Amino acid sequence: MSGPADPFDAIVLGAGGAGLMCAAAAGQRGKRVLVLDHADQPGKKILISGGGRCNFTNIHTAPDRYLSANPHFAKSALGRYTPSDFLALVERHGIAWHEKTLGQLFCDQSARQIVAMLLAECEAGGVTIRLGHALGPITHADGRFSVTHGGRTVEAPALVIATGGPSIPKLGATGFAYDLARQFGLKVVEPRPALVPLTLGGEDMLFRELSGVSTPVIARHGKTAFREAALLTHRGLSGPAILQISSYWRHGGEVALDFLPDMPANWLAQAKRGKPRASLVSLLRASLPARLADALAERLALPGDLGNIADRKLEEAQRRLASWSFTPNGTEGFAKAEVTVGGISTAELSSRTMEARRVPGLYAIGEAVDVTGWLGGYNFQWAWASGWAAGQAIGEG
């Protein structure tokens, strides 16, 4: 039993989506929960997400839309706390929402409503939240975790790591979770930026002149492909299709873009027969932004009428347009990454409770863990599901 100097059942480190969800779930089970964060306000990443409207979940959530060294790890939490469960919470709080493309759900008004909802849920569970001070030494002895925050030291039998990953450091994000995990002997899968723009160099930089041009594509890396928009930038490639593929890309690998994903097979040969006096650039301009069409036609170097171009050359041009290869020289790093791939190894955790197998009472949730979702609300759903799973488990033994 806890004594007078030990008034909490659990200390949650991090007042982001996962941490607040966990605290609310545990608090409403009657657990005494303390949330600590160095930030001056809760839910900072929530507030900037979705252009300020928070893409709070995705109705197509499934384990195969997450990256992890163990692709099965996320199944338990995602199966027990679903997008429908979170949507029911949103509706109970009277938050109006809408579905955008590809199953993405957004607030009609403001992401602040999601933060306010989570805080209200925490209040309903009697959760204590202390913000605005750096975390000091954290120790573990005799079944108790001791945390110093703002000159005060608190203890509890459970500690939850919910401090996220190092993506978007301007919001105060750091690799703190990994350092703490290692302190307790947990392995960490090497973190790297994900959902991040890719940078180009060398010959690929010829596309710098097209900065600001966007077009629907299929982006491929290995066996993985995403059909969404790509954006050409002054540094390389961005847009939803590129952000998605970036989570899978590794240094030295190629990214191929199909610039004309709706074109049928042999469309250039058919165009040659039907419009022999048309030019390649005119055909491309009919389907692509003019600046992009001109640049691609210039690189394909097939001037003149289609009727005067050999079929094999048209076939080669069609192949290039369907799989235009880039070899990125890097990414724009954690500063521009929406999330992190890697993190605290799932091999160290129970998939049902998120508790560390070798350190009873220690939990890790959200982005701190080696589970990373696709773009489009999947990472928030992991935050809600993993936070709920830990919140249900705290103190159950």
Side-chain angles (χ1 to χ4, degrees), residues 174-194:
T174 69
F176 176 87
Y178 312 145
D179 295 336
L180 186 58
R182 292 187 184 102
Q183 176 187 323
F184 287 112
L186 307 187
K187 293 186 178 69
V188 174
V189 176
E190 180 186 2
R192 54 190 174 85

Side-chain angles (χ1 to χ4, degrees), residues 60-75:
H60 300 310
T61 294
D64 64 1
R65 301 191 171 200
Y66 292 82
L67 291 77
S68 175
N70 177 359
H72 302 290
F73 180 84
K75 289 180 178 178

Side-chain angles (χ1 to χ4, degrees), residues 56-205:
F56 56 80
T57 193
N58 195 298
I59 60 175
H60 300 310
T61 294
D64 64 1
R65 301 191 171 200
Y66 292 82
L67 291 77
S68 175
N70 177 359
H72 302 290
F73 180 84
K75 289 180 178 178
S76 177
L78 292 173
R80 288 183 298 127
Y81 193 88
T82 68
S84 296
D85 292 320
F86 191 77
L87 187 56
L89 184 63
V90 166
E91 292 184 332
R92 183 156 56 81
H93 283 260
I95 300 172
W97 58 276
H98 60 279
E99 180 182 345
K100 277 193 173 181
T101 57
L102 305 174
Q104 303 169 41
L105 303 190
F106 288 77
C107 298
D108 283 359
Q109 297 178 9
S110 171
R112 294 186 180 280
Q113 294 174 289
I114 298 296
V115 176
M117 176 190 77
L118 292 169
L119 292 175
E121 289 293 307
C122 283
E123 185 176 356
V127 174
T128 301
I129 300 176
R130 297 177 187 164
L131 306 172
H133 295 285
L135 290 166
I138 298 172
T139 59
H140 180 227
D142 300 324
R144 288 284 186 275
F145 294 89
S146 174
V147 181
T148 301
H149 181 258
R152 304 164 70 177
T153 298
V154 289
E155 291 188 351
L159 181 71
V160 183
I161 303 174
T163 54
S167 61
I168 320 185
K170 69 181 180 181
L171 296 183
T174 69
F176 176 87
Y178 312 145
D179 295 336
L180 186 58
R182 292 187 184 102
Q183 176 187 323
F184 287 112
L186 307 187
K187 293 186 178 69
V188 174
V189 176
E190 180 186 2
R192 54 190 174 85
L195 301 182
V196 63
L198 299 173
T199 57
L200 299 174
E203 285 295 304
D204 292 333
M205 284 311 298

Side-chain angles (χ1 to χ4, degrees), residues 95-395:
I95 300 172
W97 58 276
H98 60 279
E99 180 182 345
K100 277 193 173 181
T101 57
L102 305 174
Q104 303 169 41
L105 303 190
F106 288 77
C107 298
D108 283 359
Q109 297 178 9
S110 171
R112 294 186 180 280
Q113 294 174 289
I114 298 296
V115 176
M117 176 190 77
L118 292 169
L119 292 175
E121 289 293 307
C122 283
E123 185 176 356
V127 174
T128 301
I129 300 176
R130 297 177 187 164
L131 306 172
H133 295 285
L135 290 166
I138 298 172
T139 59
H140 180 227
D142 300 324
R144 288 284 186 275
F145 294 89
S146 174
V147 181
T148 301
H149 181 258
R152 304 164 70 177
T153 298
V154 289
E155 291 188 351
L159 181 71
V160 183
I161 303 174
T163 54
S167 61
I168 320 185
K170 69 181 180 181
L171 296 183
T174 69
F176 176 87
Y178 312 145
D179 295 336
L180 186 58
R182 292 187 184 102
Q183 176 187 323
F184 287 112
L186 307 187
K187 293 186 178 69
V188 174
V189 176
E190 180 186 2
R192 54 190 174 85
L195 301 182
V196 63
L198 299 173
T199 57
L200 299 174
E203 285 295 304
D204 292 333
M205 284 311 298
L206 292 170
F207 283 86
R208 175 181 282 177
E209 68 204 52
L210 302 178
S211 179
V213 172
S214 177
T215 189
V217 301
I218 295 175
R220 292 188 176 88
H221 173 66
K223 296 181 179 179
T224 304
F226 292 95
R227 179 175 177 149
E228 289 192 69
L231 172 68
L232 301 171
T233 75
H234 69 287
R235 296 193 63 188
L237 299 170
S238 189
I242 301 302
L243 298 184
Q244 294 279 40
I245 213 73
S246 73
S247 298
Y248 295 82
W249 177 80
R250 304 301 287 259
H251 277 279
E254 286 189 349
V255 171
L257 300 186
D258 182 348
F259 283 113
L260 297 164
D262 291 319
M263 286 299 190
N266 300 319
W267 66 272
L268 266 180
Q270 292 174 17
K272 176 181 176 178
R273 290 194 294 271
K275 300 178 180 179
R277 301 189 65 180
S279 65
L280 177 60
V281 69
S282 67
L283 288 180
L284 293 179
R285 278 183 163 225
S287 300
L288 295 169
R291 289 165 60 203
L292 176 59
D294 293 349
L296 293 174
E298 181 183 345
R299 285 157 182 74
L300 291 169
L302 295 176
D305 297 347
L306 292 178
N308 295 324
I309 301 174
D311 285 355
R312 61 178 178 78
K313 289 190 174 181
L314 291 179
E315 290 171 5
E316 173 59 26
Q318 185 172 311
R319 278 195 296 272
R320 280 198 73 188
L321 289 166
S323 186
W324 200 287
S325 293
F326 298 87
T327 303
N329 59 11
T331 76
E332 292 197 23
F334 285 115
K336 295 294 180 68
E338 294 195 18
V339 292
T340 305
V341 164
I344 298 171
S345 173
T346 57
E348 303 283 3
L349 307 173
S350 160
S351 62
R352 187 182 72 84
T353 65
M354 309 304 294
E355 185 175 17
R357 298 182 185 279
R358 293 182 290 170
V359 188
L362 180 65
Y363 299 78
I365 57 176
E367 192 184 342
V369 179
D370 176 32
V371 174
T372 305
W374 288 3
L375 184 72
Y378 294 100
N379 287 293
F380 274 130
Q381 186 57 39
W382 171 246
W384 316 139
S386 60
W388 183 88
Q392 295 300 311
I394 287 169

